[in-house]
Amino acid sequence: MLQVDRVTTPHAVLSRNPYQPYLARIVRIYRMVPDNHLFTLRFLEDHLAASFRHQPGQFVMLSLPGTGEAPISISSSPSRPGILELCVRRAGRVTNALYRMKTNDVVGLRGPYGNGFPVHDIVGNDLLLAAGGLGMAPLRSLLWYALDNRDRFKRITLMYGAKTPAEMLFREELVSLVDRSDLTCLLTVDRDPTGTWKNHVGLLPKLFDYTEIDPVTTYAAVCGPPVVYKFILERLLDLGFSKDRILMSLERRMKCGVGKCGHCGVGYKYTCLHGPIFTYWDAINLPEMI
Ligand SMILES: Cc1cc2nc3c(=O)[nH]c(=O)nc-3n(C[C@H](O)[C@H](O)[C@H](O)COP(=O)(O)OP(=O)(O)OC[C@H]3O[C@@H](n4cnc5c(N)ncnc54)[C@H](O)[C@@H]3O)c2cc1C
Ligand code: FES
């Protein structure tokens, strides 16, 4: 079983020069939904492919020569090394250029960066993952890490919401988990235009009605658009969660990714270095964090 070591310094694994990207080949492009594709990448150098390790919740800087760089969460689990999966939404310059690339094309990667989820603290506890929309991208790494190390966690619950079934990321994969006896997998859509969706219909917080969550024994990992934070945080606090058991993956515009340029500063913290995973306690004590 793979042991995930906490990466205390960014670029610790890959780069001596923190700005130097390493080349990786696109080995697969899975068009999950029109503007959200899953890119599977493998470093050209075999020793990098074999030695790269990350923590669920960390990100890489993805670079395309002549275009620029963008921070992207690693969606694959460290328990499945050798490749990296990035779930990328087409947003602007870099991601548009990525969407023009094909299988076997080469991109640059540096990282892994950020703190990642505090897996060592979560181990031995219940885990609730609550995601909306693209928020599934960083949480998927933690989900598969926990499922691949099932004996190290107690109850695992996934709550994931999308607008429609067609817009649900990783839909086939997640639907295939619904019947697992060692996971409570609750999937919902705001509406079901086709009438063929066999899971829940309704807003994400409604899923709390279908299961019991113990606030004392559970760590909650939350990621999604602002509305998800608003309503999920309300529910978690109503349940009695302490603020340091709520873990949030937050985004800020980034440039260097390594705590040098100041672009992602919030209060006295840098999102790229001290985040992107913050406890709710951190978030409310840092100005303009949420
Ligand atoms: C830690 C972290 C993890 C992330 N993980 C993912 C992920 O897994 N998948 C994913 O798809 N995305 C992820 N993102 C978001 C992604 O990095 C951004 O969408 C990034 O901007 C895309 O780069 P781009 O060059 O394609 O888009 P950009 O050209 O940067 O444009 C993106 C959007 O921002 C606007 N914009 C551009 N410049 C500015 C500016 N200076 N101020 C305000 N708005 C501006 C553009 O109009 C556009 O709407 C993550 C971000 C962070 C910080
Ligand atoms: S992106 Fe440069 S300090 Fe965080």
Side-chain angles (χ1 to χ4, degrees):
M1 194 145 302
L2 187 88
Q3 185 67 37
V4 178
D5 297 321
R6 182 177 282 281
V7 178
T8 48
T9 50
H11 62 81
V13 176
L14 272 189
S15 312
R16 290 203 190 101
N17 169 359
Y19 299 107
Q20 183 187 338
Y22 287 80
L23 298 179
R25 190 177 302 287
I26 301 174
V27 294
R28 180 175 178 248
I29 304 174
Y30 174 41
R31 294 168 176 82
M32 285 192 289
V33 301
D35 281 334
N36 274 287
H37 295 176
L38 185 69
F39 294 84
T40 306
L41 306 174
R42 185 180 162 84
F43 287 104
L44 296 193
E45 293 178 50
D46 283 341
H47 75 275
L48 282 180
S51 62
F52 184 91
R53 290 290 180 276
H54 70 280
Q55 182 96 343
Q58 284 191 301
F59 65 95
V60 286
M61 294 299 286
L62 167 75
S63 58
L64 303 188
T67 306
E69 285 190 306
I72 302 290
S73 305
I74 303 172
S75 285
S76 47
S77 167
S79 46
R80 300 178 182 206
I83 51 102
L84 285 178
E85 288 176 320
L86 307 182
C87 171
V88 181
R89 172 166 293 173
R90 190 208 292 258
R93 231 155 48 101
V94 173
T95 50
N96 270 309
L98 181 70
Y99 269 58
R100 289 194 288 274
M101 299 186 91
K102 301 182 203 63
T103 307
N104 278 327
D105 284 349
V106 170
V107 300
L109 290 180
R110 57 186 178 92
Y113 295 133
N115 55 356
F117 288 102
V119 169
H120 293 271
D121 296 338
I122 303 171
V123 159
N125 287 271
D126 296 345
L127 172 63
L128 164 66
L129 304 113
L134 188 57
M136 198 59 220
L139 291 200
R140 179 176 177 258
S141 177
L142 181 60
L143 172 69
W144 279 109
Y145 176 78
L147 292 178
D148 287 345
N149 293 276
R150 191 62 193 85
D151 54 326
R152 301 179 68 197
F153 297 83
K154 293 200 173 130
R155 238 186 116 205
I156 305 178
T157 305
L158 171 67
M159 297 181 183
Y160 179 44
K163 286 185 184 142
T164 63
E167 290 167 87
M168 180 168 280
L169 303 181
F170 307 104
R171 189 182 63 230
E172 287 82 10
E173 177 181 305
L174 297 178
V175 166
S176 77
L177 297 178
V178 167
D179 290 332
R180 256 181 94 136
S181 58
D182 60 353
L183 168 74
T184 305
C185 180
L186 300 168
L187 306 175
T188 190
V189 292
D190 296 352
R191 52 186 195 285
D192 175 23
T194 60
T196 54
W197 176 246
K198 294 191 172 56
N199 289 275
H200 299 278
V201 178
L203 297 180
L204 179 59
K206 182 90 181 123
L207 294 178
F208 281 92
D209 297 348
Y210 302 105
T211 188
E212 296 275 313
I213 302 289
D214 183 344
V216 177
T217 57
T218 306
Y219 275 91
V222 186
C223 192
V227 67
V228 164
Y229 286 113
K230 179 173 167 16
F231 291 111
I232 295 293
L233 289 174
E234 264 174 32
R235 291 301 288 257
L236 295 175
L237 295 172
D238 280 354
L239 280 173
F241 267 79
S242 84
K243 296 182 181 68
D244 58 358
R245 279 187 168 255
I246 302 175
L247 308 164
M248 308 160 60
S249 180
L250 298 176
E251 285 188 13
R252 281 290 177 281
R253 291 198 72 80
M254 291 181 182
K255 211 160 188 173
C256 69
V258 292
K260 303 276 187 218
C261 73
H263 251 72
C264 67
V266 186
Y268 56 90
K269 299 221 172 176
Y270 291 140
T271 313
C272 65
L273 203 57
H274 306 105
I277 311 302
F278 291 94
T279 64
Y280 182 56
W281 176 258
D282 289 329
I284 56 176
N285 284 293
L286 287 167
E288 293 174 27
M289 179 60 89
I290 49 172

